[in-house]
Amino acid sequence: MNSKKVFFLLLITLAFQASFAQKDGYWDKTRATVQEVTVSARNRIVVKTQDFPEGTTEVVFRITLLDKNQQMASSLVSVLKAIPDPTGISQGSAGAVFILSKISGEDKCKYAIFSSAGFASQYKEDGSTENACFVQDTPVSKDAKLLSADKISCMKSNSGNLWFGFESKNWIMNQKIVLEVVPWVDNKLSRGWTTENRKYIIDQCKTSNLAQKMANSDDFCVCILDKIQSKYKFKEFQKLLAVERAKAFKDYGASCFSESNLSTAIYEDLRKQAGVLSKEGKIGDAITKLMIVLNDGKAKALDYNSIGSNYILTKQYGKAIKFLKEGEKLDDTELLIKLNLAHAYLLNDNYYSAKVIYKEYEAQNVSDSLSWNEKIKQDFETFKKLGIRNKDFDRVLKFLK
């Protein structure tokens, strides 16, 4: 099989591999490192790569040793045009073989890769590879590999560069080494939205007034994050004035709020929270939750009944009457509101107004299984347990018999 057929088969293999789980990004040829260096016999040298762009998650490198007057047949950048993304290299040996140089000299060298200039300088001085994140200790005449942030510590803690250290194994002559390094840039991460930066936005969102109304604001805050990410790079967002960032949160919050069922869910959750707090005896906290519903203009008739009931339990009868009358305007047929209004009148020393209501509905039920009179008895018992007493309780029960 001739070389053209081998080349064609390699391309087919790479295309097939790349059809699975392709990554969203690009090989950044403008930030590629292409450097030819000469290493003196029995010496060591360090080469720093070009600055990697933000969002670099992987790099592919190729090392080629050349004899005198040899020239590279093709650059690594041009070879990578046939490999859509790093999966074409990492999923099999074909990609790695393909990016190897077609030529190399007879000389060989060892090399190591470092994540900082300090570690690289130590290597140049004494040959120490203790702090290297990759070491090729067997001398080679050419090599090519993919370094991924998923596997190589250099990439996980990458500061924007790598340092390649070479040690000549030629005891007499100088060596000519060509180093090529091409970064792979993740499109999403190139905008600066790292895990830490996304968490920063989520944490900010959770401190907003709207988010604090929710028992679980995760979906709401993720929605805001998505909208910010789509419009701004992280650094762009950070450069906004404080008032501009606040406005962005407010606008995107309103948009996320209206785009989903969050509105309904929030107020239902507030009602549930208020009910639980009231049963636990935390009446003031229950009123606070209900007031959010009322102040946002989302109150139903029974919300007014609930807040009126809680005001009765805290002996704030004037406020109870005020809110129960508001509830009557929304639903004049709701007997629970009528009953609590009668209780509020009675406890506020307005026996005659209370009696009119008690008498008017005594033949009805407040629910499908609970009579008006039975509910009054239950409520009076609850009041007594809470230390709420009135000289007219027995008087009311007497005329209802």
Side-chain angles (χ1 to χ4, degrees):
M1 187 178 291
N2 61 38
S3 60
K4 287 186 177 179
K5 288 184 178 179
V6 172
F7 180 77
F8 180 75
L9 287 174
L10 282 173
L11 284 178
I12 293 296
T13 301
L14 291 170
F16 177 76
Q17 290 173 339
S19 65
F20 295 95
Q22 282 199 353
K23 297 188 177 183
D24 184 16
Y26 59 95
W27 295 111
D28 191 339
K29 63 181 181 181
T30 61
R31 249 73 71 91
T33 298
V34 182
Q35 194 163 343
E36 186 177 303
V37 295
T38 299
V39 187
S40 303
R42 293 174 294 173
N43 205 351
R44 287 184 292 273
I45 192 171
V46 171
V47 179
K48 180 184 177 182
T49 65
Q50 296 273 11
D51 295 343
F52 297 145
E54 190 168 15
T56 297
T57 58
E58 287 147 309
V59 299
V60 64
F61 68 87
R62 183 168 73 176
I63 295 167
T64 309
L65 277 74
L66 301 176
D67 287 340
K68 187 177 181 181
N69 299 324
Q70 277 187 312
Q71 299 295 321
M72 295 298 297
S74 60
S75 70
L76 181 57
V77 167
S78 64
V79 172
L80 288 175
K81 289 180 180 178
I83 306 176
D85 68 55
T87 58
I89 299 171
S90 61
Q91 286 183 344
S93 60
V97 171
F98 185 55
I99 64 174
L100 278 172
S101 172
K102 293 181 181 179
I103 61 171
S104 67
E106 295 180 358
D107 290 340
K108 294 184 177 181
C109 73
K110 294 181 179 181
Y111 69 89
I113 304 174
F114 300 89
S115 59
S116 75
F119 294 154
S121 296
Q122 185 179 357
Y123 167 81
K124 185 178 180 180
E125 194 174 310
D126 59 18
S128 171
T129 58
E130 181 181 352
N131 295 310
C133 51
F134 184 85
V135 178
Q136 177 58 52
D137 209 29
T138 302
V140 294
S141 61
K142 60 184 177 181
D143 205 0
K145 282 184 171 58
L146 175 77
L147 301 182
S148 169
D150 296 335
K151 300 176 182 178
I152 306 297
S153 60
C154 277
M155 298 303 299
K156 291 176 184 175
S157 58
N158 195 290
S159 60
N161 302 93
L162 291 177
W163 286 258
F164 283 74
F166 298 100
E167 181 179 351
S168 170
K169 302 313 292 180
N170 192 324
W171 285 76
I172 301 174
M173 304 293 291
N174 293 346
Q175 291 181 331
K176 186 166 68 171
I177 301 173
V178 177
L179 171 66
E180 300 168 278
V181 184
V182 184
W184 171 266
V185 183
D186 180 287
N187 280 333
K188 191 171 184 179
L189 293 181
S190 70
R191 295 176 62 79
W193 290 108
T194 62
T195 300
E196 182 179 347
N197 291 341
R198 296 198 303 275
K199 185 177 183 298
Y200 167 78
I201 298 297
I202 293 289
D203 290 344
Q204 274 202 315
C205 167
K206 286 183 175 289
T207 64
S208 68
N209 291 332
L210 199 52
Q212 289 182 340
K213 294 177 183 179
M214 308 173 193
N216 187 341
S217 60
D218 289 352
D219 290 347
F220 173 70
C221 289
V222 167
C223 176
I224 291 178
L225 171 63
D226 287 343
K227 291 184 180 297
I228 292 175
Q229 283 186 105
S230 66
K231 182 170 182 179
Y232 301 99
K233 290 183 178 181
F234 180 72
K235 288 183 179 178
E236 291 174 344
F237 187 73
Q238 287 297 89
K239 288 179 181 178
L240 294 177
L241 297 174
V243 292
E244 292 175 318
R245 289 199 299 271
K247 184 177 186 302
F249 271 106
K250 181 180 178 181
D251 292 347
Y252 291 138
S255 177
C256 289
F257 196 65
S258 62
E259 284 176 9
S260 63
N261 294 323
L262 283 173
S263 176
T264 301
I266 286 173
Y267 297 114
E268 284 301 322
D269 188 63
L270 285 169
R271 293 178 182 105
K272 289 178 183 177
Q273 291 180 56
V276 171
L277 289 167
S278 185
K279 288 178 181 177
E280 292 176 349
K282 301 174 182 177
I283 309 301
D285 292 335
I287 290 172
T288 300
K289 297 291 183 183
L290 290 168
M291 284 304 298
I292 295 173
V293 181
L294 269 63
N295 290 336
D296 286 357
K298 302 296 182 180
K300 301 176 182 178
L302 286 177
D303 294 324
Y304 285 100
N305 179 66
S306 296
I307 200 167
S309 175
N310 280 298
Y311 274 127
I312 290 172
L313 297 179
T314 55
K315 301 181 181 180
Q316 298 180 76
Y317 307 125
K319 288 183 178 181
I321 293 169
K322 171 188 171 182
F323 284 105
L324 289 166
K325 284 186 173 181
E326 289 296 318
E328 269 191 320
K329 294 176 184 177
L330 293 180
D331 187 353
D332 192 48
T333 66
E334 179 53 65
L335 293 191
L336 288 175
I337 294 177
K338 302 286 188 183
L339 183 57
N340 276 319
L341 184 57
H343 294 334
Y345 281 137
L346 182 69
L347 294 167
N348 202 41
D349 295 327
N350 190 345
Y351 171 78
Y352 292 103
S353 294
K355 181 179 179 181
V356 170
I357 300 173
Y358 284 137
K359 288 292 291 181
E360 183 175 355
Y361 302 102
E362 64 177 329
Q364 298 191 42
N365 283 0
V366 295
S367 70
D368 58 354
S369 59
L370 184 62
S371 71
W372 173 269
N373 290 0
E374 188 59 35
K375 175 62 174 166
I376 292 173
K377 292 177 185 177
Q378 291 179 3
D379 288 350
F380 284 179
E381 288 299 318
T382 298
F383 294 155
K384 290 176 184 177
K385 288 178 182 178
L386 294 174
I388 300 173
R389 299 185 180 277
N390 186 278
K391 57 182 176 57
D392 292 318
F393 282 170
D394 291 337
R395 189 177 176 186
V396 171
L397 293 175
K398 187 174 181 180
F399 75 66
L400 290 174
K401 287 182 180 180

